[in-house]
Amino acid sequence: MRINSDQSIILMLAGFLFLFISHSDLNADEPVKSKPSIEWGQSVDGLRSSLTAEKSNYVIGEPILLGYQLENRSPHEVMFFFEGYHSRCFRMEIFYLPKNRLTKKNGKSAEKAIALTRYGKSIFHGTYFSSMRRFNIGSSSVLTWDFGDIPINHLYDMTLPGKYDITTKRMIDNAFVTTNTLRLTIVRPQPVENDLQGPHVEPIKNKKSN
């Protein structure tokens, strides 16, 4: 049986495809590469957690949305308890490092603990008796929690330019699991050129009579 030119081209392409697949570096039994690693806190009994942000530098007043992950590498299931208001955000520990005071003084860091805003107090302090809830996190599973509802800088006073170190910890199976230290930098907004910026005087414009 004679093979025309179109059929021969198809056979050649099929042969090249077979050779490429058979000599590929990625075999079928090799695991797929995972996403780039994120920064985790210290592992406790097979549990570790991470705190992330969309970026590391923000302008004053720009919403800062955080994400939380808890990874269970232990051989057993764990229970993650939280109160109703935690569905919006967790309590954080935030320390402010002013731009001009990053060096240690008298053996102590110049960092300053950041307090809740009035809005933050209304979220956390006003709901102590909210109902308890829980998640069951199986072995070799990860809990991902995006706090996309309330920016953290609406709950905590992060209005000054400088560096902020943020962590949070949760009690899991009678042990505290603490996240990595997330460092964010807050900067002043760039000045906008505007002819009307600052005080100015204009003449009163009289309405024309009919």
Side-chain angles (χ1 to χ4, degrees):
M1 181 178 65
R2 297 182 63 183
I3 300 176
N4 58 36
S5 59
D6 291 338
Q7 290 175 324
S8 62
I9 292 174
I10 293 174
L11 291 174
M12 289 176 62
L13 292 175
F16 282 126
L17 181 61
F18 173 79
L19 290 173
F20 174 77
I21 295 175
S22 61
H23 290 85
S24 174
D25 292 333
L26 180 62
N27 296 325
D29 56 351
E30 289 181 347
V32 178
K33 292 183 178 180
S34 60
K35 296 180 180 179
S37 60
I38 62 176
E39 186 179 355
W40 296 93
Q42 184 177 359
S43 179
V44 179
D45 298 332
L47 301 172
R48 61 179 185 173
S49 59
S50 174
L51 200 60
T52 58
E54 296 174 336
K55 53 185 181 178
S56 58
N57 295 332
Y58 291 84
V59 176
I60 294 175
E62 183 180 0
I64 302 174
L65 301 176
L66 301 183
Y68 174 84
Q69 284 187 302
L70 177 69
E71 187 178 68
N72 180 15
R73 290 179 174 268
S74 71
H76 56 84
E77 183 180 75
V78 297
M79 288 185 292
F80 184 93
F81 288 94
F82 66 100
E83 293 197 29
Y85 65 86
H86 281 151
S87 62
R88 311 186 75 182
C89 194
F90 294 158
R91 287 293 297 262
M92 305 283 174
E93 292 181 353
I94 304 180
F95 291 93
Y96 173 58
L97 293 83
K99 184 176 181 180
N100 298 325
R101 292 191 291 165
L102 292 179
T103 58
K104 290 187 177 181
K105 183 179 180 180
N106 299 327
K108 296 182 179 180
S109 174
E111 64 185 16
K112 176 184 177 182
I114 295 300
L116 289 166
T117 62
R118 292 179 64 183
Y119 178 60
K121 291 178 181 179
S122 71
I123 293 294
F124 292 118
H125 293 174
T127 51
Y128 278 140
F129 299 101
S130 61
S131 59
M132 293 294 296
R133 306 174 188 178
R134 76 176 187 183
F135 281 116
N136 293 335
I137 306 173
S139 177
S140 301
S141 300
V142 59
L143 167 69
T144 300
W145 203 315
D146 293 318
F147 300 121
D149 187 11
I150 303 179
I152 192 64
N153 52 331
H154 289 188
L155 300 173
Y156 290 87
D157 186 2
M158 302 173 66
T159 53
L160 292 177
K163 297 183 183 297
Y164 294 80
D165 285 347
I166 309 174
T167 59
T168 188
K169 60 184 178 181
R170 306 292 305 169
M171 176 68 78
I172 311 292
D173 278 5
N174 299 319
F176 279 112
V177 181
T178 305
T179 65
N180 57 306
T181 299
L182 177 65
R183 174 164 292 185
L184 301 180
T185 301
I186 307 295
V187 299
R188 299 180 186 275
Q190 294 293 329
V192 178
E193 295 184 2
N194 189 341
D195 294 338
L196 299 179
Q197 187 173 357
H200 57 279
V201 178
E202 293 181 347
I204 298 175
K205 296 179 181 180
N206 296 323
K207 294 182 179 180
K208 294 182 179 180
S209 58
N210 293 332

